[in-house]
Amino acid sequence: MTGTEQDDLGLFTDLYQLTMLDAYLNEDMHEEAVFTLFVRRLPDNRKFLLAAGLDPLLELLENLSFSEKQFDYLADQGFSDQLINYLREFEFSGQVRALPEGTVFFENEPMVEVRAPLPQAQLIETLVMNQLHLQTLLASKAARIALAAGDKPILDFGARRVHGIDAGVKGSRAMLLGGIRATSNMLAGHHYSLPVAGTMAHSYIQAHDSEFDAFKRFTERFPDTILLVDTIDTIEGVKKVIKLAKQLGDEFKVKGIRLDSGDLGELAKQSRKLLDDNGLEHLDIVASGGLDEYKISELENNKAPIDSFGVGTGMGVSDDAPALDIAYKLVEYAGKGRLKLSSGKPVLPGEKQVFRETKDGQFSQDTIARYDEQLPGHPLLQKVMTKGKRLPSHQRDFEKICEHAQQQLQQLPPSIRTIEKSDSYQVHISDRLSDYQQQVTEQVKKGGTS
């Protein structure tokens, strides 16, 4: 939990959550509600999403509270003593059912379902959406990039341009969940025990009068480093690495070179030949600079001799799909199904379950059903929190979460796993849920005309 969250967590909500909460309390509306979090439609260039951010979210829900300064602020904003007294004693006591982190999912499928007294479930909407939206977005982007690179490692270099510290720390975690091997973000590495990796910046070379001297001095302090060779002239930089290797002999422990600009494919081929011709076949070539899944796929298709990739902004902000059409909607209150009939924004009422079928070891189709149905396939939503506390059975270590994510990605049909355009994955609605939706729709329409 970052310092900002620790200090201001209680008030990380929208104004209208508090106005509705005040009104609910005034009307004594405390019965149980169910809210569903889902993505209405996938971005045009996405065929799947990878659920991420659940464990950090549950930790936040366990610690959700308000400070005396916040109560003073709410009083100044005109909120009632009833609301302030309610928040003074606030402790989330609800149940959460969710897709385990690292689970692949598709549009309209419930990612999380919260069952709690209506005021509680309403208050946490902003927090739930904020945490799961970004982390799922970045895990999904990272998965596409990792799939494009095949077995070659991807490094996260995006901390400098992501949208804030919380996004940087939790985003790095989400991207490793998606298949990235390491991050340059030290705070994320420390906070979540993630593997960290990095090379050097152009400024180190620029700060020296000689590029060769910069290489030599840096390797004296970090013998097994990766040397950045494109500050002045890429090929001449490679030649200086070769010169350093000859000068140091057996003391030369450098692991590789990094290319950060220009025609990466052609420069990699030229660099590889120079290194190999001088007995440096063991040096890796790392490429970075404006990379994403499309550019990496092109480099791979052209058989560029690149051993790993550093990806920054494109992955850190998911630049081709920077937002998801994510929603957190009331689907049940006081035992009755609820929905909205707004055009283009359908909601499936009641508690739900998702059943996933497989064929020949690959996912074949999903069915969104009512909570108590028994259908072919594996049920995806699991109870992860009850009475406001995480279930011990759910608390998995991060390595297990990452393993689950990779298993999920490998079970996707090839047409869904590829970044190329293809048919979408089949998601159905069960007959019982469809009938229930029609029944609730008729009730809502009747109520709307009374």
Side-chain angles (χ1 to χ4, degrees):
M1 182 182 309
T2 69
T4 299
E5 291 167 346
Q6 183 68 48
D7 295 339
D8 303 321
L9 181 59
L11 279 188
F12 189 75
T13 190
D14 288 297
L15 173 63
Y16 74 178
Q17 312 292 6
L18 292 172
T19 56
M20 287 188 288
L21 179 54
D22 206 340
Y24 289 148
L25 297 177
N26 188 58
E27 299 171 55
D28 199 26
M29 296 179 68
H30 291 277
E31 293 192 69
E32 282 199 335
V34 176
F35 281 77
T36 298
L37 182 86
F38 62 101
V39 175
R40 286 194 184 95
R41 57 187 65 85
L42 301 185
D44 290 340
N45 48 1
R46 294 287 184 274
K47 289 176 287 187
F48 67 87
L49 296 173
L50 194 63
L54 179 63
D55 283 7
L57 170 66
L58 296 180
E59 180 184 359
L60 296 180
L61 291 179
E62 284 184 330
N63 291 280
L64 189 62
S65 62
F66 295 79
S67 69
E68 288 300 322
K69 288 184 178 180
Q70 291 173 341
F71 297 140
D72 292 340
Y73 173 72
L74 290 173
D76 290 341
Q77 295 295 313
F79 284 100
S80 69
D81 290 341
Q82 185 179 27
L83 172 74
I84 292 172
N85 290 333
Y86 176 85
L87 296 179
R88 196 181 302 277
E89 303 298 325
F90 186 88
E91 183 176 345
F92 182 70
S93 63
Q95 169 189 289
V96 178
R97 296 168 55 248
L99 302 178
E101 280 201 277
T103 300
V104 166
F105 70 105
F106 306 91
E107 61 186 39
N108 290 316
E109 295 185 336
M111 182 182 175
V112 168
E113 290 204 326
V114 174
R115 173 178 284 276
L118 178 59
Q120 291 189 28
Q122 186 74 69
L123 178 66
I124 66 172
E125 174 181 354
T126 305
L127 180 66
V128 171
M129 290 184 65
N130 173 273
Q131 293 296 301
L132 297 183
H133 172 263
L134 177 72
Q135 294 177 68
T136 294
L137 182 73
L138 296 186
S140 304
K141 176 68 171 181
R144 286 168 55 84
I145 291 173
L147 288 170
D151 294 332
K152 296 182 178 180
I154 302 290
L155 310 177
D156 160 35
F157 286 175
R160 291 168 295 170
R161 290 178 179 152
V162 296
H163 300 157
I165 295 174
D166 190 49
V169 174
K170 291 177 179 171
S172 291
R173 177 186 181 276
M175 288 185 279
L176 264 81
L177 188 157
I180 304 311
R181 303 287 182 87
T183 179
S184 65
N185 186 332
M186 293 298 291
L187 182 57
H190 170 68
H191 191 77
Y192 290 116
S193 299
L194 307 178
V196 294
T199 58
M200 64 195 310
H202 294 103
S203 55
Y204 183 84
I205 308 295
Q206 294 171 281
H208 291 75
D209 292 333
S210 161
E211 185 178 39
F212 179 80
D213 186 52
F215 288 166
K216 185 176 181 180
R217 292 305 181 103
F218 200 78
T219 57
E220 287 172 357
R221 180 63 185 87
F222 300 101
D224 58 352
T225 189
I226 303 286
L227 294 173
L228 179 61
V229 297
D230 76 325
T231 305
I232 302 170
D233 179 284
T234 300
I235 298 305
E236 290 301 316
V238 175
K239 290 177 180 178
K240 290 183 177 69
V241 174
I242 294 169
K243 178 182 176 181
L244 181 63
K246 291 178 178 178
Q247 185 178 108
L248 294 179
D250 292 342
E251 295 181 7
F252 183 78
K253 306 296 183 183
V254 171
K255 288 184 176 179
I257 63 170
R258 176 160 70 100
L259 312 175
D260 191 54
S261 59
D263 185 337
L264 296 175
E266 182 58 31
L267 288 171
K269 291 175 182 178
Q270 294 180 38
S271 299
R272 184 76 274 161
K273 186 176 189 309
L274 277 171
L275 294 172
D276 292 354
D277 288 348
N278 286 275
L280 297 175
E281 298 90 348
H282 62 285
L283 263 63
D284 285 344
I285 297 178
V286 181
S288 58
L291 295 176
D292 58 17
E293 63 267 46
Y294 305 105
K295 294 177 183 177
I296 290 174
S297 179
E298 182 180 357
L299 288 167
E300 286 295 284
N301 290 337
N302 291 332
K303 302 188 184 304
I306 296 171
D307 300 288
S308 60
F309 301 92
V311 185
T313 306
M315 182 168 64
V317 302
S318 186
D319 59 355
D320 66 325
L324 300 173
D325 187 8
I326 197 168
Y328 177 90
K329 295 300 179 185
L330 178 69
V331 296
E332 181 179 306
Y333 176 62
K336 296 181 180 179
R338 310 283 170 157
L339 49 71
K340 54 183 284 191
L341 301 179
S342 304
S343 177
K345 296 184 176 181
V347 174
L348 297 170
E351 281 191 284
K352 292 168 287 294
Q353 182 57 275
V354 180
F355 292 89
R356 176 162 295 161
E357 298 180 58
T358 59
K359 183 178 181 181
D360 299 327
Q362 294 183 336
F363 302 147
S364 57
Q365 64 176 10
D366 290 2
T367 302
I368 307 172
R370 297 208 65 187
Y371 171 62
D372 57 352
E373 287 193 68
Q374 298 295 323
L375 296 178
H378 176 69
L380 300 184
L381 290 168
Q382 299 179 9
K383 186 182 292 186
V384 296
M385 172 176 274
T386 186
K387 297 180 180 179
K389 300 299 179 185
R390 283 173 287 179
L391 296 176
S393 59
H394 172 69
Q395 296 180 30
R396 303 173 297 163
D397 63 54
F398 189 62
E399 287 187 6
K400 295 293 185 184
I401 293 173
C402 293
E403 289 175 7
H404 173 65
Q406 292 310 303
Q407 291 169 359
Q408 288 276 300
L409 293 170
Q410 291 307 312
Q411 286 183 276
L412 281 173
S415 62
I416 305 300
R417 198 163 58 235
T418 179
I419 64 172
E420 305 298 329
K421 290 187 176 181
S422 62
D423 294 335
S424 59
Y425 185 80
Q426 295 298 307
V427 178
H428 307 284
I429 299 176
S430 74
D431 290 341
R432 269 193 63 197
L433 179 55
S434 182
D435 290 344
Y436 185 56
Q437 182 182 29
Q438 182 61 36
Q439 174 188 336
V440 176
T441 298
E442 292 173 358
Q443 293 172 349
V444 169
K445 287 182 176 180
K446 183 178 179 181
T449 58
S450 63

